[in-house]
Amino acid sequence: MSVPGYRDTQGRPWDDHAPVDPAEAEDFLALFHHEQPGGNGRERLARVRDEIAETGTYVHTYAELVFGARVAWRNASRCIGRLYWRSLVVRDLRKVTTPGEVADELVRHLRLAGQRERHVIRPMISVFAQHIPGRPAVRLWNDQLIRYAGHRHPDGTVVGDPQYTQFTETLRQYGWHGKPDNPFDVLPLAIEAPDGSVTLRELPEDAVWEVPIEHPELRWFAELGLRWHAIPAIANMRLTIGGVDYPLAPFNGWYLGTEIGARNLADHDRYNLLPLVAARMGLDTSTERSLWKDRALVELNRAVLWSFDQAGARISDHHTESERFLAHIASEERGGRPTPADWSWVVPPLSSSTLGVFHRYYPEADQRPAFYLDAEARELGRRGRSPITPPAAARCPVVHGERPPLPRPRPMPAVVPPVRPASPDVLVMEAPPAVPEQRSGWFNRLLRR
């Protein structure tokens, strides 16, 4: 069965000129009034039909927006953490339309979602202006609000996250430099205005909650200088509620430990830290039968969970979250609702057969409200969009407040094809291409210790 959203099966392309489908609006309003008793459903539906006939779309009430966003999370087939869908905090930012205002609210989202001083991480979504058929709007290129740059040096080595090498190169064309020798260099937000102009906004330090990665027993882990951000805020998925689309609706929960320890830091085409951890542990890496990768992977994941606990940053382990997802399925069954899920995504990549979610299959369905990753949004998150003409060198477009302008960019290094988006929190899964061994100076120095 070919269903959009499953195993990267593509649904029908989004037609941004098409009016809202009245039938989809009717289905949503029927669901809303069924699960949210009160109000006159027939009267509301009549007004919505008239509005669609006149303008091609309609405007949700605040209650409809909140309900729709929460149900979209409930329907997210690739998410194992749906037990908490009712707790989603919905920020109504539909009147925020300029790039500067959007940037301010994205920063505010991070500050509200992750409050370091209170040790609180809240599931949150910020819903910006709805799509008007045929009318361009502000868009964000970044696939998450917080990602680390991949700086490719002239000798071919990459410092940082190889998944974002091409995206980093594109931002350099707009005048951004970052910190080329920092393996955890936070990328700026790239905001495109309706007229095609692009503004880069650096994230302030107080909006980026980062956790140093150490280990409860292996003290040398601290010497590696590893860290990861605490808020996984997905930013490039289109939220659709009752036929109305919201192209900019960044949302976050909290991390599942394996997303960081078994994918972001461990994948061969990401930070690829298993050889380094195994070497520091003194494991035999000459043969796969020593299971050195497995042993290093477990300790890397232990380090992530322990470090987040020490920092007071909420994070789930795969055993606990597996049981909670099964509890969510049971709760939905009592409510008479099926729980669609993509097995390849809800089963964590570590110790899978020890988890309850591994030993069953799930129905597949394209349920709405929902989140969708469109082809153009995916490509922008991978590569951005190069300027048609070189940007003026006299002034950097990055918003720096009172800081002096950055120096002129260095000559462009060779552009290389991007590697696959491999982390589950990106909500994209593809077959991995063969990639060359990518080692940076900081990695080699650690490996020789």
Side-chain angles (χ1 to χ4, degrees):
M1 182 178 181
S2 179
V3 179
Y6 288 86
R7 297 174 183 86
D8 230 22
T9 301
Q10 294 296 314
R12 62 184 182 185
W14 177 41
D15 183 356
D16 60 1
H17 286 77
V20 169
D21 182 358
E24 190 169 341
E26 182 174 352
D27 289 344
F28 168 70
L29 292 173
L31 179 67
F32 173 76
H33 286 282
H34 172 71
E35 296 193 26
Q36 306 282 316
N40 190 324
R42 291 184 179 179
E43 183 178 308
R44 172 60 176 153
L45 178 58
R47 292 199 304 271
V48 165
R49 284 173 173 166
D50 290 342
E51 199 171 344
I52 294 174
E54 182 178 349
T55 67
T57 187
Y58 69 102
V59 178
H60 289 126
T61 66
Y62 176 69
E64 291 167 354
L65 181 71
V66 171
F67 175 77
R70 290 173 175 171
V71 173
W73 185 10
R74 186 176 78 189
N75 291 337
S77 62
R78 290 179 167 182
C79 178
I80 194 175
R82 283 177 271 169
L83 177 64
Y84 319 98
W85 67 272
R86 292 182 180 86
S87 67
L88 182 66
V89 177
V90 180
R91 302 178 67 218
D92 184 357
L93 301 174
R94 288 177 287 177
K95 294 184 179 180
V96 176
T97 57
T98 68
E101 293 173 331
V102 168
D104 290 341
E105 290 298 341
L106 294 176
V107 171
R108 182 168 172 79
H109 177 115
L110 291 173
R111 288 173 173 152
L112 292 173
Q115 299 179 25
R116 256 174 288 200
E117 65 283 356
R118 298 177 56 200
H119 295 164
V120 170
I121 295 179
R122 298 187 294 178
M124 180 175 291
I125 184 169
S126 294
V127 184
F128 290 87
Q130 72 182 71
H131 172 69
I132 304 299
R135 185 185 303 176
V138 172
R139 70 184 308 161
L140 180 71
W141 292 356
N142 308 62
D143 64 2
Q144 287 200 27
L145 296 185
I146 304 173
R147 280 302 200 189
Y148 295 119
H151 294 286
R152 179 170 290 280
H153 287 229
D155 63 357
T157 60
V158 174
V159 173
D161 193 340
Q163 177 168 289
Y164 295 97
T165 301
Q166 181 62 70
F167 192 83
T168 302
E169 297 289 356
T170 299
L171 296 193
R172 288 178 62 84
Q173 296 177 41
Y174 288 89
W176 185 72
H177 300 277
K179 302 172 183 176
D181 294 321
N182 183 353
F184 299 97
D185 187 17
V186 177
L187 287 163
L189 301 175
I191 303 170
E192 183 179 340
D195 64 2
S197 61
V198 178
T199 299
L200 306 186
R201 172 67 70 90
E202 297 265 24
L203 290 174
E205 290 185 6
D206 69 326
V208 182
W209 184 357
E210 291 184 292
V211 176
I213 306 301
E214 301 180 5
H215 193 281
E217 294 140 17
L218 304 175
R219 299 304 177 190
W220 50 260
F221 239 91
E223 301 173 8
L224 304 182
L226 307 178
R227 61 178 183 268
W228 204 260
H229 57 90
I231 309 298
I234 300 171
N236 66 340
M237 299 194 75
R238 171 171 53 92
L239 169 64
T240 181
I241 301 173
V244 176
D245 294 296
Y246 298 93
L248 182 54
F251 61 95
N252 72 274
W254 51 85
Y255 268 115
L256 183 66
T258 54
E259 292 178 312
I260 303 171
R263 302 305 306 276
N264 297 334
L265 294 178
D267 277 0
H268 178 79
D269 49 13
R270 299 295 297 284
Y271 279 82
N272 192 26
L273 289 176
L274 295 187
L276 172 60
V277 173
R280 295 300 295 267
M281 290 176 64
L283 303 180
D284 177 11
T285 61
S286 65
T287 172
E288 301 292 349
R289 298 179 72 85
S290 69
L291 301 184
W292 65 269
K293 291 181 182 179
D294 307 72
R295 295 171 65 186
L297 189 64
V298 168
E299 297 308 323
L300 183 54
N301 279 268
R302 286 187 65 204
V304 168
L305 293 173
W306 186 82
S307 299
F308 270 63
D309 287 343
Q310 292 296 110
R314 189 171 187 177
I315 194 169
S316 294
D317 68 85
H318 48 294
H319 293 282
T320 301
E321 209 56 49
S322 171
E323 294 304 314
R324 288 175 178 171
F325 184 64
L326 296 179
H328 168 69
I329 293 175
S331 175
E332 291 297 289
E333 287 176 348
R334 290 192 295 271
R337 296 185 295 266
T339 303
D342 186 337
W343 188 95
S344 64
W345 279 77
V346 299
V347 175
L350 180 65
S351 306
S352 300
S353 65
T354 68
L355 309 175
V357 293
F358 176 90
H359 297 281
R360 59 172 294 165
Y361 293 101
Y362 306 91
E364 298 184 359
D366 180 23
Q367 294 183 329
R368 300 187 182 187
F371 293 100
Y372 293 96
L373 179 58
D374 300 311
E376 185 178 11
R378 175 183 296 182
E379 288 305 302
L380 288 174
R382 289 171 172 171
R383 300 178 175 87
R385 186 172 13 242
S386 296
I388 298 175
T389 57
R395 180 169 177 80
C396 173
V398 182
V399 179
H400 293 287
E402 297 302 319
R403 297 178 185 176
L406 294 174
R408 293 173 182 267
R410 297 185 299 181
M412 285 292 294
V415 177
V416 297
V419 295
R420 72 181 177 97
S423 171
D425 50 330
V426 182
L427 298 185
V428 181
M429 182 167 284
E430 299 177 350
V435 296
E437 190 74 11
Q438 293 176 321
R439 286 286 186 267
S440 58
W442 70 275
F443 186 98
N444 288 327
R445 287 194 296 272
L446 289 172
L447 196 59
R448 287 195 295 267
R449 289 182 181 177

CSV table of all heavy atoms in Angstrom, one decimal, residues 34 67 157 183 204 242 252 257 284 400 421:
chain,number,residue,atom,x,y,z
A,34,HIS,N,-16.7,16.8,17.0
A,34,HIS,CA,-16.9,15.5,17.6
A,34,HIS,C,-16.1,15.4,18.9
A,34,HIS,O,-16.6,14.8,19.9
A,34,HIS,CB,-16.6,14.4,16.6
A,34,HIS,CG,-16.6,13.0,17.2
A,34,HIS,ND1,-17.8,12.4,17.6
A,34,HIS,CD2,-15.6,12.2,17.5
A,34,HIS,CE1,-17.5,11.2,18.1
A,34,HIS,NE2,-16.1,11.0,18.1
A,67,PHE,N,-6.4,22.7,18.3
A,67,PHE,CA,-6.9,21.3,18.2
A,67,PHE,C,-6.2,20.7,17.0
A,67,PHE,O,-5.7,19.6,17.0
A,67,PHE,CB,-8.4,21.3,18.0
A,67,PHE,CG,-8.9,19.9,17.7
A,67,PHE,CD1,-9.0,18.9,18.7
A,67,PHE,CD2,-9.3,19.6,16.4
A,67,PHE,CE1,-9.5,17.6,18.4
A,67,PHE,CE2,-9.8,18.3,16.1
A,67,PHE,CZ,-9.9,17.3,17.1
A,157,THR,N,39.1,18.3,4.4
A,157,THR,CA,38.6,17.8,5.7
A,157,THR,C,37.3,18.7,6.0
A,157,THR,O,37.2,19.8,5.6
A,157,THR,CB,39.6,17.9,6.8
A,157,THR,OG1,40.0,19.3,6.9
A,157,THR,CG2,40.8,17.1,6.5
A,183,PRO,N,33.7,22.4,15.7
A,183,PRO,CA,32.9,21.3,15.2
A,183,PRO,C,31.4,21.4,15.6
A,183,PRO,O,30.6,20.7,15.1
A,183,PRO,CB,33.6,20.1,15.8
A,183,PRO,CG,34.3,20.6,17.0
A,183,PRO,CD,34.7,22.0,16.7
A,204,PRO,N,21.2,34.0,19.4
A,204,PRO,CA,21.9,34.4,20.6
A,204,PRO,C,22.2,33.2,21.5
A,204,PRO,O,21.5,32.2,21.5
A,204,PRO,CB,21.0,35.4,21.3
A,204,PRO,CG,19.6,35.1,20.7
A,204,PRO,CD,19.8,34.5,19.3
A,242,GLY,N,-7.5,21.0,8.0
A,242,GLY,CA,-8.7,21.2,7.3
A,242,GLY,C,-8.5,21.9,6.0
A,242,GLY,O,-9.4,22.7,5.5
A,252,ASN,N,8.6,21.5,18.4
A,252,ASN,CA,9.6,20.7,19.1
A,252,ASN,C,9.0,19.8,20.2
A,252,ASN,O,7.9,20.2,20.8
A,252,ASN,CB,10.7,21.6,19.8
A,252,ASN,CG,10.2,22.3,21.0
A,252,ASN,OD1,9.6,23.4,20.8
A,252,ASN,ND2,10.4,21.8,22.2
A,257,GLY,N,17.2,9.7,23.3
A,257,GLY,CA,18.6,9.7,23.4
A,257,GLY,C,19.3,9.1,22.2
A,257,GLY,O,20.4,9.6,21.8
A,284,ASP,N,39.3,-3.8,20.2
A,284,ASP,CA,39.9,-4.4,19.0
A,284,ASP,C,39.0,-4.0,17.8
A,284,ASP,O,37.9,-4.6,17.6
A,284,ASP,CB,40.0,-5.9,19.2
A,284,ASP,CG,40.5,-6.6,17.9
A,284,ASP,OD1,41.0,-5.8,17.0
A,284,ASP,OD2,40.4,-7.8,17.8
A,400,HIS,N,23.7,41.3,13.4
A,400,HIS,CA,24.7,41.2,14.5
A,400,HIS,C,24.5,42.2,15.6
A,400,HIS,O,25.3,42.3,16.5
A,400,HIS,CB,26.1,41.4,14.0
A,400,HIS,CG,26.6,40.3,13.0
A,400,HIS,ND1,26.9,39.1,13.4
A,400,HIS,CD2,26.8,40.4,11.7
A,400,HIS,CE1,27.3,38.4,12.4
A,400,HIS,NE2,27.2,39.1,11.3
A,421,PRO,N,20.4,13.1,4.6
A,421,PRO,CA,19.9,13.5,6.0
A,421,PRO,C,19.6,12.2,6.7
A,421,PRO,O,18.7,11.5,6.4
A,421,PRO,CB,18.7,14.3,5.7
A,421,PRO,CG,18.8,14.7,4.2
A,421,PRO,CD,19.6,13.5,3.6
